[in-house]
Amino acid sequence: MGGPGSGTLRYRNRPLWRGRYSWSVTFPVVGMVGGGQLARMTHEAGIPLGIRFKLLSDTPQDSAAQVVGDVVIGDYRDLDTLREFAKGCDVITFDHEHVPTEHLRALEADGIPVRPGPDALVHAQDKGVMRAKLDAIGVPSPRHRIVRDVDDVAAFAAEGDGFPVILKTVRGGYDGKGVWFVRSAEEAEDPFRAGVPVLAEEKVDFVRELAANVVRSPHGQAVAYPVVESQQVDGVCDTVIAPAPGISDELALEAEALALRIAKELGVVGHLAVELFETVTAEGDHRILVNELAMRPHNSGHWTQDGAITSQFANHVRAVLDLPLGDPRPRATWTVMANVLGGDYPDMYSAYLHCMARDPQLKIHMYGKDVKPGRKVGHVNTYGDDLDDVLERARHAAGYLRGTITE
Amino acid sequence: MGGPGSGTLRYRNRPLWRGRYSWSVTFPVVGMVGGGQLARMTHEAGIPLGIRFKLLSDTPQDSAAQVVGDVVIGDYRDLDTLREFAKGCDVITFDHEHVPTEHLRALEADGIPVRPGPDALVHAQDKGVMRAKLDAIGVPSPRHRIVRDVDDVAAFAAEGDGFPVILKTVRGGYDGKGVWFVRSAEEAEDPFRAGVPVLAEEKVDFVRELAANVVRSPHGQAVAYPVVESQQVDGVCDTVIAPAPGISDELALEAEALALRIAKELGVVGHLAVELFETVTAEGDHRILVNELAMRPHNSGHWTQDGAITSQFANHVRAVLDLPLGDPRPRATWTVMANVLGGDYPDMYSAYLHCMARDPQLKIHMYGKDVKPGRKVGHVNTYGDDLDDVLERARHAAGYLRGTITE
């Protein structure tokens, strides 16, 4: 934490401390648990702030571990490892939601600020807790309840419009994992095999998916990004359009206000992504229902790296440090993010030649991950005034990198 | 360089290699010599490209060494150290111009691509070589010649308009170091004490300083950033305004074309900054003269991080890898960069509260350096449509961080 010196450490003519000091001691250390691409991009966003970034990563090959200077290799499920890691940190934050809630409480008891804290994060860890809380504060969700077994699933279906229903393990799912689309009671056996609680939800007849991203700081300042449209393919986010095309001002404001209220009621610190279903009633009214919550930088916010004045990563860092938040407004009329999934061609680097030459404005964000079919290994951002053009450029680049477009 | 696998490594259906392979082997390693802020910001810009970044740094506390994952601590003046460092790199580039030219030739002889190469870089290392080359290709410079001693300085002055004249050691100077403003022959002794060749230049009666920044790749693609105005205080860059206010299209084009021609004639690969004097003749014609060259990302291009579609750092990386270059055009009407110099207050972090709260659009870039009076420790960028507002915001933030503004 900086080299030693001696003298009087002052702030604005007010002596803070006299004697020996480290000049850089006042720049805090942000510890991030998890070495995935979200940590990689948070590190990138933290470099300009001059903060120290420390990473707890499973392996030295993890996405973030490749590019961070101060890396501890260890298992986040082990409390001793977490405690040792936390010793050098001024605040702990997360690349994922998988750290056991009780470990987070132990770190807090040790006096380490954990942001978001366990009382907030549990809502992103446990879908049962999340639904109960959203019900309690009156946030609209799909019809849902915890189900005990296959017969209970059939009962849940009968209580509503029948099958299909969605089954989710309450913990551990993401990107379509831990989620089952069930057309009959016979198909409902798999989710129960793991022996963890299962949440049943109605299949919502939505017109599209939206995401409302907000960032909140410990002293309660919060900012809302424009609501985006999120297009999924096979349960995985494929394309994000910012702002959501054609959304009414009323619905956009309602979604932003809803996300800000959830952040406040749940005590979130940092970035909160609220995934939404947009539905249309028989009368033609547009409504929103909350699908999922994520308390960390989120795929639906990657467009902010090149499309917003302050990125979700920079604002997440500012929030966990309780610094004033940056302006979340867009810099372009339209920004499109397209995920790059692994395909049959492992050599994505050679594809840069075509992609960069075709579109000198293209923004490539690769994660340093080995290519495996279907795996998210990067994304691209494009922006401009013509949505069709911006969409085409993003989809072409993502497809070419994946290998599904070859010309 | 990625984990091993086995099978057929293909590119676009063409088998490249069969057997065991590393998936990530095709992503190149960029080795950068020098651990200063330029390397720090180049690493930041390289992260999204998924390239591997390797750093040769003097100490682990250097600006870039704090944030880079793969750091070698060593002395760039030692050829064995350079050779060992270069073994793991696909290309070598530089944070500064101080690596001995003969070492660069040795690396090239070893088969390591050095970009910019020694034949180009020598023009940024040796002001005598630079002036001779610019004369040879007909680029306008201040009147100049190598001077032998104090008497020769008096002769040089007498050949023109007399004193004052500028004296520069041909190697090793930057930010006003190695440069003397000499009002008489008596004042001309200091530059000769070091025993290195001294270049005399006329004191140009300029109206302002400009900088033309270009990036050139090995296969000859080149892009030009808008010409900027660079305001110096005590020989150190203080503020950069992009584009240069009030510049005529003709003069801007002339400066861009001049920089592109210099890059081509000198065989530059990577970023080239051409520092210019703008003069006005008795007839009112605006002219430009070349002051200095820098072959690396440059302070006059820091505005591109937040103000251009592709930053100078991203384009430098793309150039040294011979990737197609990114769009250099501005994203805002005006962008202003203001350097943050060290002042009396070592605690710049606490000043973030005021700066970020006052201006949520402010972009802070700190280098992780200990604060010393007058030392460049960071910069801020602001952008917008109203130049007065953009200038005021940048100057306020830089002054507040330094401690010269306290309200």
Side-chain angles (χ1 to χ4, degrees):
Chain A
M1 294 173 71
S6 71
T8 304
L9 189 62
R10 295 182 303 170
Y11 175 61
R12 309 267 146 206
N13 269 336
R14 190 160 48 87
L16 289 177
W17 198 74
R18 287 175 196 279
R20 290 193 63 78
Y21 54 80
S22 291
W23 285 119
S24 305
V25 73
T26 49
F27 272 75
V29 179
V30 173
M32 198 157 194
V33 177
Q37 64 263 28
L38 301 177
R40 181 186 178 101
M41 294 185 279
T42 303
H43 173 55
E44 179 193 339
I47 290 174
L49 292 179
I51 56 140
R52 311 286 169 133
F53 190 84
K54 194 175 164 186
L55 185 74
L56 179 63
S57 181
D58 289 343
T59 80
Q61 287 79 41
D62 284 8
S63 176
Q66 297 169 19
V67 298
V68 172
D70 190 358
V71 182
V72 173
I73 305 301
D75 186 347
Y76 63 82
R77 292 166 301 191
D78 178 63
L79 180 56
D80 289 340
T81 300
L82 281 173
R83 281 190 155 133
E84 189 62 29
F85 174 72
K87 274 182 192 166
C89 302
D90 293 290
V91 60
I92 297 287
T93 188
F94 309 95
D95 169 84
H96 57 66
E97 289 121 347
H98 307 321
V99 180
T101 318
E102 61 272 21
H103 289 6
L104 303 179
R105 295 197 199 285
L107 291 177
E108 279 201 330
D110 290 347
I112 307 291
V114 174
R115 293 172 178 167
D119 291 338
L121 200 61
V122 67
H123 299 96
Q125 296 178 317
D126 188 307
K127 297 182 203 302
V129 174
M130 182 265 283
R131 285 290 177 222
K133 180 69 177 182
L134 295 188
D135 288 350
I137 63 174
V139 169
S141 295
R143 189 175 70 83
H144 62 91
R145 70 171 169 83
I146 299 289
V147 285
R148 294 181 308 275
D149 52 30
V150 171
D151 289 344
D152 203 18
V153 174
F156 173 81
E159 290 157 17
D161 297 331
F163 286 96
V165 301
I166 311 293
L167 298 180
K168 300 175 174 178
T169 53
V170 295
R171 280 188 177 249
Y174 65 98
D175 274 0
K177 296 178 184 69
V179 179
W180 290 262
F181 181 83
V182 173
R183 288 177 197 78
S184 66
E186 291 71 47
E187 289 183 15
E189 285 181 10
D190 274 356
F192 295 97
R193 292 189 208 282
V196 294
V198 174
L199 180 74
E201 294 182 354
E202 67 175 327
K203 168 74 178 70
V204 175
D205 188 23
F206 58 84
V207 292
R208 63 175 171 177
E209 293 186 60
L210 304 172
N213 290 311
V214 297
V215 183
R216 186 173 175 274
S217 66
H219 74 277
Q221 189 193 10
V223 294
Y225 287 98
V227 175
V228 299
E229 176 175 337
S230 173
Q231 302 177 345
Q232 319 286 314
V233 174
D234 299 331
V236 177
C237 176
D238 181 77
T239 310
V240 169
I241 305 171
I247 194 169
S248 69
D249 289 349
E250 291 74 18
L251 197 69
L253 268 176
E254 183 185 333
E256 290 177 22
L258 187 70
L260 288 168
R261 186 156 75 85
I262 292 171
K264 182 183 177 188
E265 296 274 5
L266 273 56
V268 177
V269 170
H271 189 267
L272 169 73
V274 181
E275 296 184 69
L276 299 162
F277 295 126
E278 181 179 353
T279 62
V280 183
T281 64
E283 294 76 32
D285 293 335
H286 289 251
R287 299 278 169 80
I288 47 176
L289 297 171
V290 172
N291 179 21
E292 300 278 1
L293 302 182
M295 291 182 199
R296 48 171 171 74
H298 188 257
N299 203 163
S300 64
H302 288 357
W303 69 274
T304 60
Q305 293 175 301
D306 302 297
I309 293 171
T310 314
S311 80
Q312 64 166 347
F313 300 102
N315 260 338
H316 184 77
V317 170
R318 289 162 76 147
V320 302
L321 289 170
D322 208 5
L323 289 168
L325 301 176
D327 193 327
R329 285 177 297 171
R331 288 195 73 174
T333 311
W334 297 105
T335 304
V336 168
M337 190 282 320
N339 277 323
V340 177
L341 303 188
D344 292 335
Y345 304 109
D347 177 21
M348 290 204 179
Y349 184 71
S350 295
Y352 279 16
L353 291 175
H354 168 87
C355 293
M356 290 177 171
R358 182 181 195 263
D359 183 1
Q361 298 183 31
L362 179 70
K363 296 296 175 184
I364 295 176
H365 298 265
M366 296 297 282
Y367 308 154
K369 287 182 163 182
D370 291 349
V371 170
K372 293 177 186 170
R375 185 187 204 191
K376 276 187 207 168
V377 296
H379 67 271
V380 296
N381 285 332
T382 54
Y383 54 82
D385 291 329
D386 178 342
L387 179 56
D388 288 341
D389 173 66
V390 175
L391 263 172
E392 191 279 334
R393 287 161 50 213
R395 285 177 173 150
H396 179 94
Y400 196 92
L401 286 163
R402 184 176 188 174
T404 52
I405 295 172
T406 55
E407 60 182 347
Chain B
M1 295 173 72
S6 71
T8 304
L9 188 62
R10 296 180 302 171
Y11 176 62
R12 312 268 145 205
N13 270 335
R14 190 162 46 87
L16 290 179
W17 197 75
R18 286 173 197 280
R20 292 193 62 78
Y21 54 80
S22 289
W23 284 121
S24 304
V25 73
T26 49
F27 272 75
V29 179
V30 173
M32 198 156 196
V33 177
Q37 64 262 29
L38 302 177
R40 181 186 177 102
M41 294 185 278
T42 303
H43 173 55
E44 179 193 339
I47 290 173
L49 292 177
I51 56 141
R52 310 288 170 132
F53 190 83
K54 194 176 164 185
L55 185 74
L56 179 61
S57 182
D58 288 343
T59 80
Q61 286 78 42
D62 283 8
S63 176
Q66 296 169 18
V67 298
V68 171
D70 192 357
V71 182
V72 174
I73 304 302
D75 186 347
Y76 62 83
R77 293 165 300 190
D78 178 64
L79 180 55
D80 289 340
T81 299
L82 280 172
R83 280 189 155 134
E84 189 62 29
F85 174 72
K87 274 183 190 166
C89 301
D90 292 290
V91 60
I92 297 286
T93 189
F94 309 96
D95 169 82
H96 56 67
E97 289 120 348
H98 307 320
V99 180
T101 318
E102 61 272 22
H103 288 4
L104 303 178
R105 295 198 200 285
L107 291 177
E108 278 200 330
D110 291 347
I112 307 290
V114 174
R115 292 171 178 168
D119 292 338
L121 200 61
V122 68
H123 299 95
Q125 296 178 317
D126 188 309
K127 297 181 203 301
V129 175
M130 183 265 281
R131 285 286 177 226
K133 179 69 177 181
L134 294 187
D135 288 350
I137 63 174
V139 168
S141 294
R143 189 176 70 83
H144 62 90
R145 70 172 169 82
I146 299 288
V147 285
R148 294 183 307 277
D149 52 28
V150 171
D151 289 345
D152 203 17
V153 174
F156 174 81
E159 290 157 18
D161 297 331
F163 285 97
V165 300
I166 311 292
L167 298 181
K168 300 175 175 179
T169 53
V170 295
R171 279 187 177 251
Y174 65 96
D175 274 359
K177 296 180 184 67
V179 178
W180 289 261
F181 181 82
V182 172
R183 289 178 196 78
S184 66
E186 291 70 47
E187 288 183 16
E189 287 181 9
D190 273 356
F192 295 97
R193 293 188 207 282
V196 295
V198 173
L199 180 75
E201 294 182 355
E202 66 173 330
K203 168 73 178 71
V204 175
D205 188 22
F206 57 85
V207 292
R208 62 174 171 178
E209 295 188 59
L210 304 172
N213 289 310
V214 298
V215 184
R216 185 173 175 274
S217 66
H219 75 278
Q221 189 193 9
V223 294
Y225 286 98
V227 174
V228 299
E229 176 177 337
S230 173
Q231 300 177 345
Q232 320 284 316
V233 173
D234 299 331
V236 177
C237 176
D238 180 77
T239 310
V240 168
I241 305 172
I247 194 169
S248 69
D249 289 349
E250 293 72 19
L251 197 69
L253 268 176
E254 184 186 333
E256 289 177 22
L258 186 71
L260 288 168
R261 186 155 75 83
I262 293 170
K264 183 184 178 188
E265 296 275 4
L266 274 55
V268 176
V269 169
H271 188 268
L272 169 72
V274 181
E275 295 184 69
L276 299 162
F277 294 125
E278 181 179 352
T279 62
V280 184
T281 64
E283 294 76 32
D285 292 334
H286 289 252
R287 299 276 168 82
I288 48 177
L289 297 172
V290 171
N291 179 19
E292 300 279 1
L293 302 182
M295 291 183 197
R296 47 170 173 75
H298 188 256
N299 204 165
S300 64
H302 288 358
W303 70 275
T304 62
Q305 292 176 303
D306 301 296
I309 293 172
T310 313
S311 80
Q312 64 166 349
F313 300 102
N315 260 338
H316 184 78
V317 170
R318 287 162 77 146
V320 302
L321 289 170
D322 208 5
L323 289 168
L325 300 176
D327 193 327
R329 285 177 297 172
R331 288 194 74 174
T333 311
W334 298 105
T335 304
V336 168
M337 190 279 322
N339 277 324
V340 177
L341 304 188
D344 291 333
Y345 303 110
D347 177 22
M348 290 204 179
Y349 183 72
S350 294
Y352 279 17
L353 291 176
H354 168 86
C355 293
M356 290 178 170
R358 182 182 195 261
D359 182 1
Q361 299 182 31
L362 178 70
K363 296 297 175 183
I364 294 176
H365 298 265
M366 296 297 282
Y367 307 153
K369 288 181 163 182
D370 289 348
V371 170
K372 293 177 189 171
R375 185 186 203 189
K376 276 187 206 168
V377 296
H379 67 271
V380 297
N381 285 332
T382 54
Y383 54 82
D385 291 328
D386 178 343
L387 179 55
D388 287 340
D389 173 66
V390 174
L391 262 171
E392 191 278 335
R393 288 162 47 213
R395 286 177 174 154
H396 179 93
Y400 196 91
L401 287 163
R402 186 176 186 175
T404 52
I405 296 174
T406 54
E407 59 183 348

